Amino acid sequence: MAELQDSDNAESYVALDLFQPPTAHEQRFSSALEKAIAKVESLIPQFGLRNPRISKPGTRQYHFCIPDEWVASFWPGQLWLAHSVTAREVFKNSARMRRPYFRKVLETPQWHDHDLGFLFTLSCVADYKLTGDETSRKMALRAADFLAARWRHPMPFVMCWNPMKRDGEEFAARKTGTLNIDSMQGMALLFWAAKETGQSSYADIANLHLDTCGKYLIRDDYSSYHCYEFDPRTGKPIGGYTHQGLSDESCWSRGQAWAIHGYAQSYLHTLNSSYRDTAAHMADYIEDKLPEDGVPLWDYNLPKEKHPYRDTSAAAITAAGLYTLAQGFGSVEAAEKYTKLADRILSGLVEHHDITADASSQGLLKEGAAFVELGRADNMLPYGDYYYLESLMRAVGHTEFFW
Ligand code: GLY
């Protein structure tokens, strides 16, 4: 890090000495990015105002979101990414037309959970960052208020889930006291709100949450629990368990991916080196567990007798997180190491899982695994598509995103 000083106004600040190593596959990734953006444009008239949710089994056609869906922002997020690359109005207009959906989310407190982070970062924060739109700024700040208000003493984290009617009795009882790893990305909304308003309490709550994630969700070997349960009356830690992974002690691939990306981006927000180092150790944990093409199975501890479903969404989130991590390393050696690993995973996606050339497909990637134990595997997933686009952009040198 280099210390810069402005002697005239006596204001000093620290600038990051960042190094973004070049990808080894510039041509391949640029061409995949171009095709992905063309695909997104071709889907605009097909989707209308709907947001994709998950593909219908055995097809490359999407089911669409009903109200109260955590995935509703990943299509607008793709539109905003495409707008940031092309500056074309068609993407902006299509993304902006979805604002009533997000207004409805703000007006419906019973829908609020940690997913406010995903929902508002990829819709209203994206809009504000790219266009300066004041309405979007206000909506995103309102969402940040709701998210921050989910920190309830004595729990050392932002409450992630609410019990729902559809939950089994045991799970519903556990949910209030559960910290989940999916929540880490959402802390970006709080870091953004802190910078935007100058009110550090948003960032304080995000840091409290991330520190608790590090203490309880990340194991000593840098694998991760999906969930960690606490006693909601006392805040006392109870133990780790899984919801979407193979077993309580296994390492769910998408959970590991959320943490790698979440800590890498949080490092860029805070310069807290423990976030960067944890992301790096978690990346080291997965390196020798990846199949040859770099695209992980849905759980890193899957035994041979289980069907080897891939999770391309985990691959895409991990690749985007690794490029972000590389961006956070001033050390050339470490930046190159994580760029190389990201390149490997992203190459696997481009070569084996990219379905943009299939004119009948409504998504970018096949073989996502939403929730294998519920039979939701081998799907297209809007978050897989979103992070695929993000990682292709990061690979070719973009560094400004909405997180
Ligand atoms: N619920 C977040 C995920 O499936 O990753």
Side-chain angles (χ1 to χ4, degrees):
M1 302 220 296
E3 182 93 347
L4 301 182
Q5 297 204 344
D6 180 337
S7 51
D8 283 345
N9 60 16
E11 191 183 0
S12 69
Y13 58 94
V14 175
L16 265 182
D17 181 14
L18 294 176
F19 173 69
Q20 179 90 28
T23 173
H25 308 287
E26 174 75 33
Q27 193 44 50
R28 187 191 302 165
F29 293 156
S30 300
S31 147
L33 177 60
E34 217 172 283
K35 288 181 196 148
I37 289 176
K39 181 69 162 187
V40 168
E41 183 170 3
S42 77
L43 293 170
I44 290 174
Q46 288 190 41
F47 289 179
L49 281 176
R50 300 172 300 175
N51 294 314
R53 181 186 189 191
I54 185 170
S55 57
K56 298 173 190 165
T59 76
R60 292 184 179 173
Q61 298 292 298
Y62 267 120
H63 277 302
F64 292 92
C65 290
I66 51 173
D68 188 16
E69 285 278 1
W70 78 274
V71 301
S73 61
F74 291 106
W75 172 248
Q78 289 171 70
L79 294 167
W80 286 120
L81 288 182
H83 179 63
S84 79
V85 174
T86 64
R88 298 212 16 241
E89 295 283 295
V90 61
F91 296 114
K92 181 185 96 177
N93 293 339
S94 184
R96 179 78 64 69
M97 276 159 60
R98 289 165 160 75
R99 201 153 58 190
Y101 183 98
F102 296 96
R103 193 169 283 120
K104 176 82 183 158
V105 174
L106 287 179
E107 288 165 356
T108 316
Q110 60 272 32
W111 294 354
H112 296 178
D113 58 18
H114 77 90
D115 293 318
L116 287 166
F118 286 120
L119 289 167
F120 284 85
T121 303
L122 296 184
S123 57
C124 295
V125 174
D127 187 342
Y128 174 62
K129 282 193 174 178
L130 294 177
T131 72
D133 184 85
E134 261 311 306
T135 304
S136 285
R137 176 181 182 273
K138 281 192 191 121
M139 287 173 66
L141 285 174
R142 191 87 186 100
D145 285 337
F146 283 127
L147 185 61
R150 294 181 68 82
W151 169 53
R152 290 166 200 174
H153 187 75
M155 301 290 262
F157 57 89
V158 170
M159 186 181 158
C160 295
W161 279 325
N162 310 318
M164 316 267 268
K165 278 200 190 116
R166 64 170 185 243
D167 296 329
E169 210 176 309
E170 191 196 346
F171 184 47
R174 272 179 144 180
K175 274 175 114 179
T176 316
T178 289
L179 169 67
N180 72 32
I181 203 160
D182 333 11
S183 62
M184 295 178 61
Q185 282 273 272
M187 294 305 114
L189 181 63
L190 299 183
F191 287 127
W192 169 80
K195 279 189 194 135
E196 199 56 35
T197 61
Q199 195 175 309
S200 60
S201 57
Y202 292 109
D204 294 342
I205 292 170
N207 284 317
L208 173 79
H209 187 89
L210 291 164
D211 290 342
T212 304
C213 290
K215 201 162 160 196
Y216 294 100
L217 289 174
I218 317 303
R219 305 186 184 105
D220 290 346
D221 64 354
Y222 291 98
S223 67
S224 50
Y225 286 113
H226 180 186
C227 301
Y228 205 98
E229 188 178 6
F230 294 74
D231 181 336
R233 288 160 310 164
T234 62
K236 196 169 149 275
I238 296 172
Y241 70 97
T242 199
H243 179 53
Q244 283 159 268
L246 174 73
S247 66
D248 290 347
E249 294 304 320
S250 76
C251 181
W252 177 47
S253 309
R254 193 161 62 253
Q256 190 83 357
W258 290 137
I260 291 171
H261 197 310
Y263 273 133
Q265 84 195 9
S266 299
Y267 170 72
L268 296 181
H269 283 294
T270 61
L271 306 188
N272 176 341
S273 58
S274 83
Y275 294 163
R276 185 185 63 185
D277 296 346
T278 304
H281 288 307
M282 294 186 81
D284 295 344
Y285 172 85
I286 67 167
E287 189 167 9
D288 64 358
K289 293 174 184 60
L290 294 170
E292 204 170 326
D293 71 359
V295 176
L297 305 185
W298 65 281
D299 192 291
Y300 284 111
N301 303 112
L302 204 67
K304 291 220 167 1
E305 63 275 16
K306 288 267 188 184
H307 187 89
Y309 287 115
R310 303 277 178 145
D311 184 6
T312 52
S313 73
I317 299 160
T318 304
L322 291 168
Y323 288 122
T324 312
L325 179 60
Q327 193 191 337
F329 271 106
S331 141
V332 175
E333 204 183 315
E336 283 179 348
K337 172 180 161 175
Y338 295 112
T339 298
K340 204 166 154 199
L341 183 55
D343 280 355
R344 181 180 155 208
I345 296 171
L346 191 55
S347 292
L349 289 176
V350 171
E351 274 175 42
H352 304 296
H353 303 275
D354 180 315
I355 51 173
T356 51
D358 173 357
S360 70
S361 124
Q362 290 186 327
L364 309 182
L365 284 183
K366 61 179 179 172
E367 293 185 69
F371 197 151
V372 176
E373 298 293 310
L374 294 186
R376 294 183 206 143
D378 204 0
N379 292 112
M380 302 187 306
L381 298 169
Y383 38 101
D385 294 346
Y386 167 83
Y387 283 95
Y388 183 49
L389 210 48
E390 182 182 309
S391 48
L392 288 169
M393 285 174 62
R394 288 190 188 273
V396 300
H398 291 266
T399 52
E400 288 300 317
F401 291 86
F402 318 129
W403 309 111

